[in-house]
Amino acid sequence: TLKCMDIKEEREVCVKVIKNNKDFFDQSLDEIKLLEYLNRMGDADEKRFIRLYDYFYHKEHLFIVTELLEDDLYQAYTQYHSEVILKLNLVA
């Protein structure tokens, strides 16, 4: 995945690049169908799912453009863990 700038919409996005491999490609098409369905069914913030902005095929690779989320789970855990340790040190 890549963090990119959508200059037309003036927003940061996440671009997932899918290798030119039949299994990856088929799985990614299913992912696109699922995200399209979820995006049609309601508000992404309220229902807590990722927004699909676009997808396209270029030079034998599939690209999926979604909203850019913040930290991954590992980064969120380490940040939370660090804050808890800091607070405990301040109390002690």
Side-chain angles (χ1 to χ4, degrees), residues 23-50:
D23 292 332
F24 293 153
F25 185 80
D26 290 344
Q27 182 178 356
S28 296
L29 290 178
D30 290 341
E31 180 180 348
I32 289 169
K33 288 177 190 175
L34 178 62
L35 289 172
E36 284 182 323
Y37 174 77
L38 290 173
N39 280 253
R40 279 195 312 269
M41 297 312 292
D43 180 38
D45 291 330
E46 179 183 321
K47 304 288 185 183
R48 302 205 192 300
F49 56 81
I50 193 167

mmCIF file of all heavy atoms in Angstrom, residues 23-50:
data_model
loop_
_atom_site.group_PDB
_atom_site.id
_atom_site.type_symbol
_atom_site.label_atom_id
_atom_site.label_comp_id
_atom_site.label_asym_id
_atom_site.label_seq_id
_atom_site.Cartn_x
_atom_site.Cartn_y
_atom_site.Cartn_z
ATOM 1 N N ASP A 23 -4.532 -15.266 -8.899
ATOM 2 C CA ASP A 23 -5.153 -15.441 -7.581
ATOM 3 C C ASP A 23 -5.320 -14.111 -6.856
ATOM 4 O O ASP A 23 -6.371 -13.833 -6.283
ATOM 5 C CB ASP A 23 -4.334 -16.407 -6.729
ATOM 6 C CG ASP A 23 -4.365 -17.832 -7.255
ATOM 7 O OD1 ASP A 23 -5.367 -18.202 -7.910
ATOM 8 O OD2 ASP A 23 -3.390 -18.568 -7.024
ATOM 9 N N PHE A 24 -4.270 -13.267 -6.857
ATOM 10 C CA PHE A 24 -4.359 -11.949 -6.216
ATOM 11 C C PHE A 24 -5.413 -11.090 -6.901
ATOM 12 O O PHE A 24 -6.184 -10.386 -6.256
ATOM 13 C CB PHE A 24 -3.018 -11.221 -6.255
ATOM 14 C CG PHE A 24 -1.938 -11.846 -5.424
ATOM 15 C CD1 PHE A 24 -0.605 -11.677 -5.770
ATOM 16 C CD2 PHE A 24 -2.220 -12.588 -4.295
ATOM 17 C CE1 PHE A 24 0.408 -12.239 -5.012
ATOM 18 C CE2 PHE A 24 -1.224 -13.155 -3.531
ATOM 19 C CZ PHE A 24 0.099 -12.977 -3.893
ATOM 20 N N PHE A 25 -5.419 -11.143 -8.237
ATOM 21 C CA PHE A 25 -6.355 -10.336 -9.008
ATOM 22 C C PHE A 25 -7.803 -10.735 -8.697
ATOM 23 O O PHE A 25 -8.643 -9.874 -8.434
ATOM 24 C CB PHE A 25 -6.063 -10.496 -10.503
ATOM 25 C CG PHE A 25 -6.896 -9.621 -11.385
ATOM 26 C CD1 PHE A 25 -6.570 -8.291 -11.557
ATOM 27 C CD2 PHE A 25 -8.006 -10.125 -12.045
ATOM 28 C CE1 PHE A 25 -7.333 -7.469 -12.373
ATOM 29 C CE2 PHE A 25 -8.774 -9.318 -12.850
ATOM 30 C CZ PHE A 25 -8.440 -7.994 -13.026
ATOM 31 N N ASP A 26 -8.088 -12.039 -8.710
ATOM 32 C CA ASP A 26 -9.441 -12.515 -8.416
ATOM 33 C C ASP A 26 -9.881 -12.126 -7.005
ATOM 34 O O ASP A 26 -11.012 -11.697 -6.794
ATOM 35 C CB ASP A 26 -9.525 -14.036 -8.585
ATOM 36 C CG ASP A 26 -9.415 -14.475 -10.034
ATOM 37 O OD1 ASP A 26 -9.578 -13.620 -10.932
ATOM 38 O OD2 ASP A 26 -9.150 -15.671 -10.267
ATOM 39 N N GLN A 27 -8.985 -12.282 -6.049
ATOM 40 C CA GLN A 27 -9.308 -11.911 -4.666
ATOM 41 C C GLN A 27 -9.573 -10.418 -4.558
ATOM 42 O O GLN A 27 -10.487 -9.981 -3.852
ATOM 43 C CB GLN A 27 -8.164 -12.320 -3.744
ATOM 44 C CG GLN A 27 -8.428 -12.029 -2.293
ATOM 45 C CD GLN A 27 -7.291 -12.484 -1.391
ATOM 46 O OE1 GLN A 27 -6.321 -13.081 -1.842
ATOM 47 N NE2 GLN A 27 -7.406 -12.185 -0.131
ATOM 48 N N SER A 28 -8.807 -9.619 -5.276
ATOM 49 C CA SER A 28 -8.974 -8.163 -5.227
ATOM 50 C C SER A 28 -10.276 -7.731 -5.877
ATOM 51 O O SER A 28 -10.908 -6.769 -5.434
ATOM 52 C CB SER A 28 -7.795 -7.480 -5.897
ATOM 53 O OG SER A 28 -6.623 -7.762 -5.181
ATOM 54 N N LEU A 29 -10.696 -8.429 -6.928
ATOM 55 C CA LEU A 29 -11.996 -8.114 -7.535
ATOM 56 C C LEU A 29 -13.130 -8.377 -6.549
ATOM 57 O O LEU A 29 -14.084 -7.602 -6.465
ATOM 58 C CB LEU A 29 -12.201 -8.916 -8.816
ATOM 59 C CG LEU A 29 -11.318 -8.520 -9.999
ATOM 60 C CD1 LEU A 29 -11.600 -9.431 -11.182
ATOM 61 C CD2 LEU A 29 -11.504 -7.067 -10.372
ATOM 62 N N ASP A 30 -13.007 -9.464 -5.784
ATOM 63 C CA ASP A 30 -14.000 -9.739 -4.732
ATOM 64 C C ASP A 30 -13.976 -8.636 -3.675
ATOM 65 O O ASP A 30 -15.021 -8.213 -3.178
ATOM 66 C CB ASP A 30 -13.739 -11.090 -4.072
ATOM 67 C CG ASP A 30 -14.045 -12.265 -4.990
ATOM 68 O OD1 ASP A 30 -14.787 -12.069 -5.984
ATOM 69 O OD2 ASP A 30 -13.543 -13.371 -4.721
ATOM 70 N N GLU A 31 -12.786 -8.174 -3.319
ATOM 71 C CA GLU A 31 -12.657 -7.083 -2.341
ATOM 72 C C GLU A 31 -13.339 -5.818 -2.853
ATOM 73 O O GLU A 31 -14.058 -5.145 -2.112
ATOM 74 C CB GLU A 31 -11.173 -6.817 -2.077
ATOM 75 C CG GLU A 31 -10.914 -5.717 -1.091
ATOM 76 C CD GLU A 31 -9.434 -5.479 -0.837
ATOM 77 O OE1 GLU A 31 -8.588 -6.302 -1.255
ATOM 78 O OE2 GLU A 31 -9.116 -4.456 -0.206
ATOM 79 N N ILE A 32 -13.137 -5.512 -4.120
ATOM 80 C CA ILE A 32 -13.756 -4.326 -4.716
ATOM 81 C C ILE A 32 -15.281 -4.460 -4.691
ATOM 82 O O ILE A 32 -15.989 -3.517 -4.317
ATOM 83 C CB ILE A 32 -13.246 -4.109 -6.155
ATOM 84 C CG1 ILE A 32 -11.788 -3.651 -6.118
ATOM 85 C CG2 ILE A 32 -14.116 -3.092 -6.899
ATOM 86 C CD1 ILE A 32 -11.108 -3.664 -7.471
ATOM 87 N N LYS A 33 -15.797 -5.620 -5.076
ATOM 88 C CA LYS A 33 -17.247 -5.839 -5.062
ATOM 89 C C LYS A 33 -17.814 -5.656 -3.659
ATOM 90 O O LYS A 33 -18.861 -5.032 -3.473
ATOM 91 C CB LYS A 33 -17.582 -7.240 -5.573
ATOM 92 C CG LYS A 33 -17.372 -7.415 -7.055
ATOM 93 C CD LYS A 33 -17.651 -8.853 -7.459
ATOM 94 C CE LYS A 33 -17.232 -9.128 -8.876
ATOM 95 N NZ LYS A 33 -17.391 -10.548 -9.231
ATOM 96 N N LEU A 34 -17.124 -6.209 -2.666
ATOM 97 C CA LEU A 34 -17.577 -6.082 -1.283
ATOM 98 C C LEU A 34 -17.559 -4.627 -0.822
ATOM 99 O O LEU A 34 -18.523 -4.138 -0.232
ATOM 100 C CB LEU A 34 -16.716 -6.938 -0.362
ATOM 101 C CG LEU A 34 -17.035 -6.868 1.123
ATOM 102 C CD1 LEU A 34 -18.449 -7.358 1.384
ATOM 103 C CD2 LEU A 34 -16.040 -7.673 1.920
ATOM 104 N N LEU A 35 -16.468 -3.915 -1.105
ATOM 105 C CA LEU A 35 -16.380 -2.509 -0.709
ATOM 106 C C LEU A 35 -17.420 -1.654 -1.430
ATOM 107 O O LEU A 35 -18.003 -0.742 -0.828
ATOM 108 C CB LEU A 35 -14.976 -1.966 -0.958
ATOM 109 C CG LEU A 35 -13.896 -2.490 -0.015
ATOM 110 C CD1 LEU A 35 -12.514 -2.037 -0.471
ATOM 111 C CD2 LEU A 35 -14.165 -2.042 1.415
ATOM 112 N N GLU A 36 -17.664 -1.922 -2.701
ATOM 113 C CA GLU A 36 -18.708 -1.187 -3.420
ATOM 114 C C GLU A 36 -20.072 -1.417 -2.769
ATOM 115 O O GLU A 36 -20.854 -0.481 -2.593
ATOM 116 C CB GLU A 36 -18.758 -1.620 -4.889
ATOM 117 C CG GLU A 36 -17.654 -1.058 -5.736
ATOM 118 C CD GLU A 36 -17.770 -1.469 -7.189
ATOM 119 O OE1 GLU A 36 -18.169 -2.623 -7.465
ATOM 120 O OE2 GLU A 36 -17.455 -0.633 -8.041
ATOM 121 N N TYR A 37 -20.361 -2.657 -2.429
ATOM 122 C CA TYR A 37 -21.631 -2.987 -1.774
ATOM 123 C C TYR A 37 -21.758 -2.255 -0.436
ATOM 124 O O TYR A 37 -22.784 -1.630 -0.152
ATOM 125 C CB TYR A 37 -21.736 -4.500 -1.574
ATOM 126 C CG TYR A 37 -22.944 -4.913 -0.786
ATOM 127 C CD1 TYR A 37 -24.204 -4.946 -1.384
ATOM 128 C CD2 TYR A 37 -22.841 -5.253 0.557
ATOM 129 C CE1 TYR A 37 -25.330 -5.312 -0.666
ATOM 130 C CE2 TYR A 37 -23.964 -5.620 1.283
ATOM 131 C CZ TYR A 37 -25.198 -5.648 0.669
ATOM 132 O OH TYR A 37 -26.302 -6.011 1.391
ATOM 133 N N LEU A 38 -20.717 -2.332 0.382
ATOM 134 C CA LEU A 38 -20.751 -1.665 1.689
ATOM 135 C C LEU A 38 -20.915 -0.161 1.544
ATOM 136 O O LEU A 38 -21.671 0.469 2.293
ATOM 137 C CB LEU A 38 -19.473 -1.976 2.474
ATOM 138 C CG LEU A 38 -19.334 -3.402 2.978
ATOM 139 C CD1 LEU A 38 -17.952 -3.613 3.574
ATOM 140 C CD2 LEU A 38 -20.419 -3.722 3.990
ATOM 141 N N ASN A 39 -20.219 0.433 0.571
ATOM 142 C CA ASN A 39 -20.310 1.881 0.367
ATOM 143 C C ASN A 39 -21.696 2.302 -0.102
ATOM 144 O O ASN A 39 -22.139 3.405 0.206
ATOM 145 C CB ASN A 39 -19.230 2.341 -0.616
ATOM 146 C CG ASN A 39 -17.870 2.495 0.041
ATOM 147 O OD1 ASN A 39 -17.399 3.593 0.268
ATOM 148 N ND2 ASN A 39 -17.241 1.376 0.375
ATOM 149 N N ARG A 40 -22.381 1.438 -0.839
ATOM 150 C CA ARG A 40 -23.756 1.746 -1.277
ATOM 151 C C ARG A 40 -24.748 1.626 -0.125
ATOM 152 O O ARG A 40 -25.785 2.274 -0.122
ATOM 153 C CB ARG A 40 -24.186 0.792 -2.396
ATOM 154 C CG ARG A 40 -23.701 1.142 -3.756
ATOM 155 C CD ARG A 40 -24.455 0.378 -4.850
ATOM 156 N NE ARG A 40 -24.557 -1.054 -4.582
ATOM 157 C CZ ARG A 40 -23.677 -1.978 -4.981
ATOM 158 N NH1 ARG A 40 -22.609 -1.611 -5.643
ATOM 159 N NH2 ARG A 40 -23.873 -3.254 -4.701
ATOM 160 N N MET A 41 -24.442 0.783 0.862
ATOM 161 C CA MET A 41 -25.405 0.456 1.911
ATOM 162 C C MET A 41 -25.475 1.476 3.047
ATOM 163 O O MET A 41 -26.380 1.409 3.860
ATOM 164 C CB MET A 41 -25.103 -0.919 2.503
ATOM 165 C CG MET A 41 -25.239 -2.051 1.511
ATOM 166 S SD MET A 41 -26.760 -2.009 0.538
ATOM 167 C CE MET A 41 -27.975 -2.347 1.769
ATOM 168 N N GLY A 42 -24.531 2.392 3.121
ATOM 169 C CA GLY A 42 -24.650 3.350 4.211
ATOM 170 C C GLY A 42 -23.393 4.152 4.452
ATOM 171 O O GLY A 42 -22.416 4.074 3.706
ATOM 172 N N ASP A 43 -23.450 4.911 5.512
ATOM 173 C CA ASP A 43 -22.374 5.811 5.882
ATOM 174 C C ASP A 43 -21.193 5.029 6.470
ATOM 175 O O ASP A 43 -21.355 4.281 7.433
ATOM 176 C CB ASP A 43 -22.897 6.820 6.910
ATOM 177 C CG ASP A 43 -21.839 7.793 7.357
ATOM 178 O OD1 ASP A 43 -21.030 8.221 6.517
ATOM 179 O OD2 ASP A 43 -21.821 8.130 8.555
ATOM 180 N N ALA A 44 -20.006 5.221 5.891
ATOM 181 C CA ALA A 44 -18.816 4.489 6.331
ATOM 182 C C ALA A 44 -18.449 4.820 7.774
ATOM 183 O O ALA A 44 -18.013 3.949 8.524
ATOM 184 C CB ALA A 44 -17.642 4.794 5.404
ATOM 185 N N ASP A 45 -18.614 6.066 8.179
ATOM 186 C CA ASP A 45 -18.286 6.444 9.555
ATOM 187 C C ASP A 45 -19.248 5.798 10.547
ATOM 188 O O ASP A 45 -18.836 5.270 11.581
ATOM 189 C CB ASP A 45 -18.304 7.957 9.731
ATOM 190 C CG ASP A 45 -17.167 8.641 9.000
ATOM 191 O OD1 ASP A 45 -16.099 8.009 8.854
ATOM 192 O OD2 ASP A 45 -17.342 9.788 8.562
ATOM 193 N N GLU A 46 -20.513 5.840 10.221
ATOM 194 C CA GLU A 46 -21.521 5.279 11.122
ATOM 195 C C GLU A 46 -21.403 3.757 11.204
ATOM 196 O O GLU A 46 -21.490 3.175 12.281
ATOM 197 C CB GLU A 46 -22.916 5.660 10.625
ATOM 198 C CG GLU A 46 -24.042 5.122 11.472
ATOM 199 C CD GLU A 46 -25.396 5.468 10.885
ATOM 200 O OE1 GLU A 46 -25.566 6.595 10.377
ATOM 201 O OE2 GLU A 46 -26.285 4.596 10.936
ATOM 202 N N LYS A 47 -21.185 3.117 10.070
ATOM 203 C CA LYS A 47 -21.120 1.653 10.019
ATOM 204 C C LYS A 47 -19.713 1.109 10.244
ATOM 205 O O LYS A 47 -19.520 -0.088 10.350
ATOM 206 C CB LYS A 47 -21.629 1.148 8.663
ATOM 207 C CG LYS A 47 -23.020 1.603 8.313
ATOM 208 C CD LYS A 47 -24.051 0.909 9.150
ATOM 209 C CE LYS A 47 -25.438 1.327 8.655
ATOM 210 N NZ LYS A 47 -26.490 0.774 9.417
ATOM 211 N N ARG A 48 -18.721 1.996 10.270
ATOM 212 C CA ARG A 48 -17.323 1.636 10.548
ATOM 213 C C ARG A 48 -16.718 0.694 9.511
ATOM 214 O O ARG A 48 -16.222 -0.378 9.827
ATOM 215 C CB ARG A 48 -17.184 1.051 11.938
ATOM 216 C CG ARG A 48 -17.674 1.992 13.012
ATOM 217 C CD ARG A 48 -17.019 1.707 14.329
ATOM 218 N NE ARG A 48 -17.592 2.364 15.471
ATOM 219 C CZ ARG A 48 -17.714 3.660 15.683
ATOM 220 N NH1 ARG A 48 -17.334 4.488 14.781
ATOM 221 N NH2 ARG A 48 -18.227 4.134 16.787
ATOM 222 N N PHE A 49 -16.751 1.106 8.260
ATOM 223 C CA PHE A 49 -16.031 0.394 7.215
ATOM 224 C C PHE A 49 -15.287 1.404 6.350
ATOM 225 O O PHE A 49 -15.556 2.600 6.393
ATOM 226 C CB PHE A 49 -16.951 -0.499 6.376
ATOM 227 C CG PHE A 49 -18.114 0.211 5.737
ATOM 228 C CD1 PHE A 49 -17.952 0.913 4.564
ATOM 229 C CD2 PHE A 49 -19.367 0.157 6.313
ATOM 230 C CE1 PHE A 49 -19.023 1.559 3.967
ATOM 231 C CE2 PHE A 49 -20.449 0.796 5.723
ATOM 232 C CZ PHE A 49 -20.272 1.502 4.556
ATOM 233 N N ILE A 50 -14.347 0.910 5.583
ATOM 234 C CA ILE A 50 -13.470 1.783 4.798
ATOM 235 C C ILE A 50 -14.182 2.256 3.531
ATOM 236 O O ILE A 50 -14.972 1.519 2.936
ATOM 237 C CB ILE A 50 -12.153 1.047 4.474
ATOM 238 C CG1 ILE A 50 -11.116 2.005 3.946
ATOM 239 C CG2 ILE A 50 -12.392 -0.099 3.507
ATOM 240 C CD1 ILE A 50 -9.729 1.413 3.917
#
